[in-house]
Amino acid sequence: MSRKIVKRTDWKSFPMPEECEKFKINRKFSKEELSTLRLGHIPEEMEDKWFWYMEGNTLYAHRSWTGYCIFILEIDENAETHNVTVNRDKEQYKCEDINQDIDLLNSLLDYWGKPEYDYYSEWLEEISDVINIKNKELKNKISLYQGNITTLDCDCIVNAANSSLLGGGGVDGAIHRAAGPKLLEECRMLNGCKTGKAKITKGYNLPAKFIIHTVGPVYSRKNDNKKLLSDCYTNSLNLAKENDIHSIAFPAISTGAYGYPLEEATDVAVKTVLKWLGENINYEIKITFCCFDKKTYDLYDEVVNSYFENFLE
Ligand code: AR6
């Protein structure tokens, strides 16, 4: 790996927050994990990202670029860590439950320690099992439609929104125009939405009863594009299930203004939806991929069918 090692000085230095808390986690790192952690990381995007670096055997993990919350982990000579100090500005990062921090940090360390962690290969393995077992049931739950999503008469349509949830261009603009101004009123109450997450509103003047708003990643040639885009589909479907929604239509999230290359985005969308269906096989739901133009439709058609062509009787 030819990445340079990240140092404290690579990051702008706010004074350290003064409020300290301590908690314990127990983990042992392998040699590979430790050498990956030692490289550190500078985020390329502002939102929801971490900056970390090691000085000697101390790992500093800054929550976002502000440095208002810094986790400091001592790693001992056996490559184990137990004691974590949190310096946080409580105005900016209050903590209601320290167990959440422990879970968060553990999952981050899982992720950070893996050299060039590739979610994509992991899905490929998982998805082939799901599809092999349940192919026919899955096939009947998916359909394609070419046209304007706002005309679809299903329980719910998904909006490719931005994190303000206050409207925009593309499919977002079309949905707000068709649903009417009450949608914006409800959206104002939602306090935005993070990339990869999803929130639900009523459909107002739309044929669809509900709208699930999700925020796709702005494509940036980074590993976690796939993960974030996949999260949009998974979180939208989880929210649909929680709300007893049995038919839902997705646009091609992130492939317009957010610049996600269509082929990869289609692959991620189809794989994620199939995986979710496989894991929720007893839930009755019809999922439509709504493709605005013929090029998108043809690509979805090809990708969806590629999963089933070997299995159809
Ligand atoms: N019905 C179905 N699909 C549509 C429609 C429609 N009426 N209109 C566009 N598409 P985009 P993004 C397709 O740009 O890339 C907004 O300003 C379009 O052809 O709508 O996730 C938000 O506020 C493309 O395939 O969403 C955000 O700021 C797909 O929908 C930003 O754009 C997504 O294109 C989100 O960008």
Side-chain angles (χ1 to χ4, degrees):
M1 205 185 295
S2 61
R3 272 165 57 198
K4 80 178 182 81
I5 292 181
V6 174
K7 300 198 182 64
R8 187 189 287 245
T9 48
D10 291 322
W11 183 77
K12 61 179 177 181
S13 47
F14 273 68
M16 288 276 238
E18 285 176 8
E19 299 276 354
C20 277
E21 286 155 32
K22 290 192 187 298
F23 60 82
K24 283 195 182 287
I25 59 174
N26 289 314
R27 37 192 315 146
K28 186 169 173 61
F29 298 106
S30 68
K31 252 190 176 165
E32 291 73 32
E33 284 174 324
L34 204 51
S35 60
T36 307
L37 284 173
R38 279 195 187 286
L39 291 171
H41 173 74
I42 303 178
E44 286 174 19
E45 291 166 73
M46 299 290 277
E47 195 181 299
D48 220 9
K49 292 295 185 304
W50 289 77
F51 175 98
W52 81 85
Y53 54 90
M54 281 190 75
E55 285 178 353
N57 284 335
T58 308
L59 173 74
Y60 294 85
H62 291 231
R63 174 74 181 82
S64 91
W65 287 77
T66 60
Y68 287 138
C69 181
I70 304 173
F71 291 96
I72 304 167
L73 286 81
E74 297 298 335
I75 297 174
D76 68 19
E77 62 281 3
N78 302 318
E80 289 180 21
T81 187
H82 302 287
N83 298 313
V84 183
T85 305
V86 199
N87 284 17
R88 68 169 106 231
D89 178 330
K90 287 193 172 153
E91 297 267 298
Q92 304 286 339
Y93 288 101
K94 57 172 174 277
C95 173
E96 264 129 40
D97 179 0
I98 202 81
N99 289 320
Q100 280 179 3
D101 268 354
I102 297 174
D103 288 349
L104 172 69
L105 202 56
N106 269 316
S107 58
L108 288 167
L109 289 168
D110 289 342
Y111 174 53
W112 295 346
K114 292 191 185 179
E116 291 167 33
Y117 183 55
D118 186 357
Y119 285 99
Y120 203 53
S121 329
E122 197 171 285
W123 292 338
L124 273 176
E125 280 168 29
E126 290 172 9
I127 197 74
S128 54
D129 292 347
V130 171
I131 295 176
N132 274 322
I133 300 163
K134 307 284 186 189
N135 66 82
K136 271 195 94 175
E137 286 130 285
L138 299 194
K139 171 91 177 166
N140 295 336
K141 292 182 173 184
I142 290 188
S143 63
L144 303 183
Y145 172 82
Q146 189 190 328
N148 182 351
I149 201 165
T150 63
T151 62
L152 290 179
D153 189 4
C154 48
D155 292 348
C156 176
I157 63 169
V158 176
N159 182 14
N162 59 58
S163 55
S164 77
L165 294 188
L166 300 179
V171 70
D172 195 5
I175 289 174
H176 273 268
R177 277 193 301 278
K182 288 210 166 133
L183 173 59
L184 185 58
E185 267 175 46
E186 187 177 352
C187 284
R188 283 194 207 285
M189 318 282 283
L190 295 178
N191 213 6
C193 180
K194 290 192 170 175
T195 305
K197 302 280 194 275
K199 293 200 175 170
I200 191 163
T201 64
K202 286 186 242 158
Y204 298 99
N205 299 337
L206 291 174
K209 202 169 158 213
F210 295 103
I211 304 165
I212 288 180
H213 306 259
T214 186
V215 183
V218 178
Y219 188 74
S220 71
R221 301 203 174 279
K222 277 204 62 193
N223 254 353
D224 61 359
N225 288 319
K226 287 172 192 158
K227 162 83 173 111
L228 289 170
L229 185 61
S230 173
D231 283 351
C232 288
Y233 289 90
T234 307
N235 288 326
S236 298
L237 289 167
N238 287 339
L239 194 55
K241 189 175 171 185
E242 280 164 30
N243 286 277
D244 203 29
I245 285 164
H246 295 278
S247 55
I248 184 168
F250 283 95
I253 299 164
S254 279
T255 63
Y258 281 179
Y260 207 121
L262 187 60
E263 293 208 351
E264 187 179 293
T266 304
D267 215 32
V268 170
V270 173
K271 277 197 183 87
T272 308
V273 164
L274 289 174
K275 181 166 179 290
W276 190 91
L277 283 173
E279 288 164 356
N280 293 271
I281 199 73
N282 294 323
Y283 187 70
E284 283 301 317
I285 190 164
K286 295 267 181 206
I287 298 176
T288 302
F289 289 114
C290 176
C291 310
F292 203 41
D293 50 39
K294 185 163 185 321
K295 183 180 161 211
T296 309
Y297 182 93
D298 288 346
L299 188 59
Y300 268 86
D301 194 34
E302 193 186 311
V303 173
V304 169
N305 283 310
S306 71
Y307 282 104
F308 297 107
E309 62 196 7
N310 299 331
F311 303 115
L312 290 181
E313 287 140 31

